[in-house]
């Protein structure tokens, strides 16, 4: 996602010459299909289509290859200096690259979609690959909550040539509740991945945009009004205020975000989960199933940066469907923690009722 921002920034300079898109992978590849490299007229570039194996060669030849229009070029990264397909550099696969001039309506439409996706829009893109005497064609359809609409098209994509289909989704949005100093590395790491970061805190003296320059928004708020929380969001609760965390947890849980992490000691988290479940009329097991606490993968280390790294890694794994071992609590663990450490006055009152 950080690549996408850099691509758009270079595009806005106005001197983009060639766009390179990875459209097919056979075997091993450092990047997935859909990775892009934008090359400016002076040789500057943004993005990447490999781990560094191909960029220099592609940048050197791209303008010449696309001199008469878009083409698909095949490169091998298998180590074989006798192969007919360049360049065997030992990465272990073969990739097809779509190389197209950047000064075309089709490319402009694509970059309009790339830019819009950075602020939350989703798109379905179909690109008919050039070859066999047929030109590059592309359709772009936007997906909005109120319905779909075609925002750009060259003409209908035919079945004559292979079609490269991609879903262009917005960057992951991360809402960080708590604007303390330990939220700074959390924001920084998420921004490095190209995520959209929103920092929220009821304490206006902490929720300052100048403190979180890499965040998309910094909000001084006591409710979710205006935040449009969705099931695609990731949420971290780290206000260091028991009452605030309980209020935010009660507000956030019903939205079922794809990741919800709670910072704090096990006993504190156990009490928060039990109290929040009581407030919502949920079972503790239902609340635990929605929550990651203790927060973050067990990577070891100490301090705000280590916690941020472990948390961002867990969110990434969750969003990519790669989550394996997790330390998240169960209903039995909550009961055990409360039994060992005692319940809060609030919880005692709720249980008595």
């Amino acid at each position: 996602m950080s690549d996408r921002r850099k691509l758009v920034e270079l595009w806005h300079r106005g001197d983009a010459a060639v766009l390179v898109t990875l459209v097919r992978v056979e075997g091993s590849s450092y990047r997935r299909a859909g990775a892009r490299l934008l090359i400016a007229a002076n040789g500057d570039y943004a993005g990447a289509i490999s781990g560094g194996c191909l960029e220099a060669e592609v940048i050197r030849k791209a303008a010449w290859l696309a001199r008469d229009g878009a083409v698909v070029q095949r490169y091998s990264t298998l180590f074989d200096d006798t192969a007919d397909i360049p360049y065997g550099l030992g990465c272990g696969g073969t990739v097809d690259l779509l190389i197209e001039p950047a000064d075309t309506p089709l490319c402009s439409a694509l970059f309009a979609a790339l830019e819009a996706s950075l602020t939350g829009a989703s798109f379905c893109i179909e690109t008919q690959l050039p070859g066999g005497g047929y030109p590059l064609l592309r359709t772009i359809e936007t997906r909005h909550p109120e319905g779909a609409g075609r925002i750009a098209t060259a003409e209908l994509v035919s079945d004559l040539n292979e079609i490269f289909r991609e879903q262009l989704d917005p960057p992951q949005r991360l809402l960080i509740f708590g604007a303390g100093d330990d939220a700074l590395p959390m924001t920084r790491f998420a921004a490095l991945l190209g995520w959209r970061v929103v920092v929220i805190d009821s304490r206006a003296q902490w929720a300052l945009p100048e403190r979180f320059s890499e965040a998309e928004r910094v909000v001084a708020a006591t409710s979710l009004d205006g935040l449009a929380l969705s099931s695609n969001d990731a949420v971290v609760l780290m206000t260091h205020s028991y009452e605030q965390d309980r209020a935010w947890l009660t507000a956030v849980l019903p939205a079922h975000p794809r990741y919800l992490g709670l910072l704090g000691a096990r006993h504190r988290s156990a009490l928060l989960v039990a109290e929040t479940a009581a407030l919502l009329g949920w079972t503790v097991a239902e609340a635990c199933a929605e929550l990651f606490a203790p927060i973050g993968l067990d990577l070891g280390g100490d301090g705000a940066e280590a916690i941020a790294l472990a948390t961002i890694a867990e969110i990434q794994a969750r969003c990519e469907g790669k989550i394996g071992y997790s330390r998240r609590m169960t209903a039995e663990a909550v009961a055990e923690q409360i039994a060992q450490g005692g319940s809060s006055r609030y919880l005692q009152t709720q249980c008595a009722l």
Side-chain angles (χ1 to χ4, degrees), residues 11-30:
W11 173 262
H12 277 299
R13 269 184 24 182
D15 61 345
V18 181
L19 175 66
V20 182
T21 304
L22 176 58
V23 294
R24 188 188 300 109
V25 174
E26 296 176 3
S28 177
S29 174
Y30 186 81

Side-chain angles (χ1 to χ4, degrees), residues 22 45 49 68 74 107-108 124 127 151 154 191 203 211-212 217 222 255-256 258 267 293 296-297 315 324 347 349:
L22 176 58
Y45 65 93
I49 38 82
D68 296 324
R74 175 163 291 189
C107 199
S108 296
C124 292
T127 301
I151 65 165
R203 297 158 289 197
R211 292 191 70 221
F212 297 92
R217 293 177 63 194
T222 57
H256 305 288
R258 64 166 58 178
H267 180 66
L297 299 178
I315 297 172
L347 189 57
T349 302

Side-chain angles (χ1 to χ4, degrees), residues 268-283:
R268 178 183 187 273
S269 295
L271 291 175
L272 280 168
V273 170
E275 292 178 7
T276 301
L279 284 169
L280 293 173
W282 291 17
T283 66

